[in-house]
CSV table of all heavy atoms in Angstrom, one decimal:
chain,number,residue,atom,x,y,z
N,391,ALA,N,-15.7,16.1,-1.8
N,391,ALA,CA,-15.1,15.7,-0.6
N,391,ALA,C,-15.8,14.5,0.0
N,391,ALA,O,-15.1,13.5,0.5
N,391,ALA,CB,-15.2,16.9,0.4
N,413,LYS,N,-22.8,17.8,4.2
N,413,LYS,CA,-24.1,17.4,3.6
N,413,LYS,C,-24.5,18.4,2.7
N,413,LYS,O,-24.1,19.6,2.7
N,413,LYS,CB,-25.1,17.3,4.8
N,413,LYS,CG,-25.1,15.9,5.5
N,413,LYS,CD,-26.3,15.7,6.3
N,413,LYS,CE,-26.5,14.4,6.8
N,413,LYS,NZ,-27.7,14.2,7.7
N,415,ASN,N,-26.3,21.4,1.0
N,415,ASN,CA,-26.9,22.6,1.5
N,415,ASN,C,-26.6,23.0,2.9
N,415,ASN,O,-27.4,23.8,3.5
N,415,ASN,CB,-28.5,22.6,1.2
N,415,ASN,CG,-28.8,22.3,-0.2
N,415,ASN,OD1,-28.3,23.0,-1.1
N,415,ASN,ND2,-29.7,21.4,-0.4
N,445,GLN,N,-17.3,12.1,-11.0
N,445,GLN,CA,-18.7,11.8,-11.3
N,445,GLN,C,-19.6,12.4,-10.3
N,445,GLN,O,-20.8,12.9,-10.6
N,445,GLN,CB,-18.8,10.3,-11.5
N,445,GLN,CG,-20.3,9.9,-12.1
N,445,GLN,CD,-20.5,10.5,-13.4
N,445,GLN,OE1,-19.7,10.4,-14.3
N,445,GLN,NE2,-21.7,11.2,-13.6
N,487,ALA,N,0.8,12.9,-6.4
N,487,ALA,CA,2.1,12.5,-6.2
N,487,ALA,C,2.3,11.5,-5.1
N,487,ALA,O,1.7,11.7,-4.1
N,487,ALA,CB,3.1,13.8,-6.0
N,501,ALA,N,2.8,17.7,-6.4
N,501,ALA,CA,1.4,17.7,-6.9
N,501,ALA,C,0.9,19.1,-7.3
N,501,ALA,O,0.3,19.2,-8.3
N,501,ALA,CB,0.5,17.0,-5.8
N,512,ARG,N,-5.1,23.2,-20.9
N,512,ARG,CA,-6.5,22.7,-20.8
N,512,ARG,C,-6.9,22.1,-22.2
N,512,ARG,O,-6.3,22.3,-23.2
N,512,ARG,CB,-7.4,23.9,-20.5
N,512,ARG,CG,-7.2,24.5,-19.1
N,512,ARG,CD,-8.1,25.7,-18.9
N,512,ARG,NE,-7.9,26.2,-17.6
N,512,ARG,CZ,-8.4,27.4,-17.1
N,512,ARG,NH1,-9.3,28.0,-18.0
N,512,ARG,NH2,-8.2,27.9,-16.0
N,537,ARG,N,-21.7,32.4,-23.4
N,537,ARG,CA,-22.5,31.4,-23.9
N,537,ARG,C,-23.9,31.9,-24.4
N,537,ARG,O,-24.4,32.8,-23.9
N,537,ARG,CB,-22.7,30.2,-22.9
N,537,ARG,CG,-21.4,29.5,-22.5
N,537,ARG,CD,-21.8,28.5,-21.4
N,537,ARG,NE,-20.4,27.8,-21.1
N,537,ARG,CZ,-19.6,28.2,-20.2
N,537,ARG,NH1,-19.9,29.3,-19.5
N,537,ARG,NH2,-18.5,27.6,-19.9
N,583,LYS,N,-37.9,25.2,-0.1
N,583,LYS,CA,-36.5,25.3,-0.3
N,583,LYS,C,-35.7,24.7,0.8
N,583,LYS,O,-36.0,24.7,1.9
N,583,LYS,CB,-36.1,26.8,-0.4
N,583,LYS,CG,-36.6,27.5,-1.7
N,583,LYS,CD,-36.2,29.0,-1.7
N,583,LYS,CE,-36.8,29.5,-3.0
N,583,LYS,NZ,-36.4,31.0,-3.1
N,591,ILE,N,-29.6,42.5,-1.8
N,591,ILE,CA,-28.7,43.7,-1.4
N,591,ILE,C,-29.5,44.9,-1.0
N,591,ILE,O,-29.1,45.6,0.0
N,591,ILE,CB,-27.7,44.1,-2.6
N,591,ILE,CG1,-26.7,45.1,-2.0
N,591,ILE,CG2,-28.5,44.6,-3.8
N,591,ILE,CD1,-25.6,45.4,-3.0
N,623,SER,N,-47.9,38.1,-2.0
N,623,SER,CA,-48.9,37.0,-2.4
N,623,SER,C,-49.2,37.2,-3.8
N,623,SER,O,-49.7,36.2,-4.4
N,623,SER,CB,-50.2,37.3,-1.6
N,623,SER,OG,-50.9,38.4,-1.9
N,655,ASN,N,-37.1,55.7,-6.7
N,655,ASN,CA,-36.9,55.5,-8.2
N,655,ASN,C,-37.3,54.1,-8.6
N,655,ASN,O,-37.9,53.9,-9.6
N,655,ASN,CB,-35.4,55.9,-8.6
N,655,ASN,CG,-34.5,55.0,-7.9
N,655,ASN,OD1,-34.6,54.5,-6.8
N,655,ASN,ND2,-33.3,54.7,-8.6
N,699,GLY,N,-36.9,60.6,4.8
N,699,GLY,CA,-36.2,60.3,3.5
N,699,GLY,C,-36.4,58.9,3.1
N,699,GLY,O,-37.3,58.2,3.5
N,727,GLN,N,0.7,18.6,11.1
N,727,GLN,CA,0.8,20.0,11.3
N,727,GLN,C,0.0,20.8,10.2
N,727,GLN,O,-0.6,21.8,10.5
N,727,GLN,CB,2.3,20.4,11.2
N,727,GLN,CG,3.2,19.9,12.2
N,727,GLN,CD,4.6,20.3,12.1
N,727,GLN,OE1,5.1,20.3,10.9
N,727,GLN,NE2,5.4,20.5,13.2
N,773,CYS,N,-17.6,45.6,11.5
N,773,CYS,CA,-17.6,44.1,11.0
N,773,CYS,C,-16.2,43.7,10.5
N,773,CYS,O,-15.7,42.6,10.9
N,773,CYS,CB,-18.6,44.0,9.9
N,773,CYS,SG,-18.8,42.3,9.3
N,784,SER,N,-7.9,32.8,16.0
N,784,SER,CA,-8.0,31.5,15.4
N,784,SER,C,-6.7,30.8,15.1
N,784,SER,O,-6.5,29.6,15.3
N,784,SER,CB,-9.0,31.4,14.3
N,784,SER,OG,-10.3,31.8,14.7
N,798,ASN,N,5.4,38.0,12.0
N,798,ASN,CA,5.2,37.2,10.8
N,798,ASN,C,3.9,36.3,10.9
N,798,ASN,O,3.6,35.5,10.1
N,798,ASN,CB,6.3,36.3,10.4
N,798,ASN,CG,7.6,37.2,10.0
N,798,ASN,OD1,7.4,38.1,9.3
N,798,ASN,ND2,8.8,36.7,10.3
N,867,TRP,N,-3.8,47.7,10.4
N,867,TRP,CA,-4.4,47.3,11.6
N,867,TRP,C,-3.6,47.8,12.8
N,867,TRP,O,-4.1,47.8,13.9
N,867,TRP,CB,-4.8,45.9,11.6
N,867,TRP,CG,-6.0,45.5,10.8
N,867,TRP,CD1,-5.9,44.7,9.7
N,867,TRP,CD2,-7.3,46.0,10.8
N,867,TRP,NE1,-7.1,44.6,9.0
N,867,TRP,CE2,-8.1,45.3,9.7
N,867,TRP,CE3,-8.0,46.8,11.6
N,867,TRP,CZ2,-9.4,45.6,9.5
N,867,TRP,CZ3,-9.4,47.1,11.3
N,867,TRP,CH2,-10.1,46.5,10.3
N,913,ASP,N,14.4,74.4,-5.3
N,913,ASP,CA,14.0,73.5,-4.3
N,913,ASP,C,12.5,73.5,-4.0
N,913,ASP,O,11.9,74.5,-4.3
N,913,ASP,CB,14.8,73.6,-3.0
N,913,ASP,CG,16.3,73.4,-3.1
N,913,ASP,OD1,16.6,72.6,-4.0
N,913,ASP,OD2,17.1,74.1,-2.5
N,920,GLN,N,3.2,73.2,3.7
N,920,GLN,CA,2.4,72.6,4.8
N,920,GLN,C,1.9,73.7,5.8
N,920,GLN,O,0.8,73.6,6.2
N,920,GLN,CB,3.2,71.5,5.6
N,920,GLN,CG,2.4,70.8,6.6
N,920,GLN,CD,3.2,69.8,7.4
N,920,GLN,OE1,4.1,70.2,8.2
N,920,GLN,NE2,2.9,68.5,7.3
N,928,THR,N,-7.1,75.9,9.4
N,928,THR,CA,-7.6,76.5,10.6
N,928,THR,C,-8.5,77.6,10.4
N,928,THR,O,-9.6,77.7,11.1
N,928,THR,CB,-6.4,77.0,11.5
N,928,THR,OG1,-5.5,75.9,11.7
N,928,THR,CG2,-6.9,77.5,12.8
N,981,GLY,N,-27.0,63.3,1.3
N,981,GLY,CA,-27.3,64.4,0.3
N,981,GLY,C,-27.3,63.8,-1.1
N,981,GLY,O,-27.4,62.6,-1.4
Side-chain angles (χ1 to χ4, degrees):
K413 277 192 171 182
N415 302 312
Q445 189 59 51
R512 295 178 182 174
R537 296 178 180 82
K583 289 181 179 177
I591 187 173
S623 68
N655 62 331
Q727 290 175 334
C773 183
S784 297
N798 294 322
W867 287 117
D913 295 333
Q920 185 185 65
T928 301

